[in-house]
Amino acid sequence: MTKQIVLSEEANPPLPVYSQAVISGKTIYVSGSIGITRDMKLVEGGVQAQTRAALDNMTKVLKGAGVGLESVLKANVYLTNLQRDFAPMNEVYLEYFSSNPPARTCIGVAALPLGAEVEIECIAELP
């Protein structure tokens, strides 16, 4: 197996324990993004602002791998309050995936890093 590490200078810097993304063959595995600034502070504005920040960061990571959101095959969304935040998160999510959306799973979780309300990861494909 050959793997290539993706490091986008535009995206939020990763912690030392993971890569922003890894490419194996033609598949890109993008690590989870939470709604934070480059200095690791949660964005203000609740789940919608955090979803927007997470998807903006994921877009930058994908760009670093040479693709865009249209290459996403599968997304996983994690919410700390599924009942309250599912609909507002989807409103923002649809701004990014308005046509031909990827397959997706949305899971309620007990907690996320830094007290985030949402985390999003994906699998994409190189052309």
Side-chain angles (χ1 to χ4, degrees):
M1 173 188 79
T2 303
K3 71 178 183 178
Q4 174 187 347
I5 303 300
V6 175
L7 179 60
S8 167
E9 296 298 328
E10 293 180 30
N12 294 335
L15 297 175
V17 295
Y18 66 89
S19 300
Q20 290 171 330
V22 174
I23 299 172
S24 179
K26 295 187 81 146
T27 306
I28 308 162
Y29 301 90
V30 180
S31 293
S33 290
I34 59 174
I36 57 172
T37 62
R38 287 190 60 80
D39 60 349
M40 303 292 205
K41 304 282 187 222
L42 277 177
V43 297
E44 295 182 14
V47 74
Q48 287 191 318
Q50 288 182 31
T51 300
R52 190 169 283 107
L55 287 168
D56 286 344
N57 189 64
M58 193 171 79
T59 300
K60 292 172 185 173
V61 173
L62 288 165
K63 181 180 175 188
V67 299
L69 288 173
E70 70 282 351
S71 296
V72 175
L73 302 173
K74 173 81 164 73
N76 294 320
V77 179
Y78 305 94
L79 292 169
T80 57
N81 190 326
L82 188 61
Q83 184 174 1
R84 179 193 70 203
D85 293 336
F86 186 74
M89 177 277 299
N90 275 325
E91 289 176 18
V92 174
Y93 186 89
L94 281 171
E95 295 173 16
Y96 292 80
F97 297 106
S98 58
S99 63
N100 300 317
R104 189 184 89 181
T105 300
C106 188
I107 302 168
V109 296
L112 290 169
L114 302 178
E117 297 176 36
V118 61
E119 182 170 4
I120 305 172
E121 65 181 3
C122 72
I123 299 171
E125 187 172 53
L126 291 169

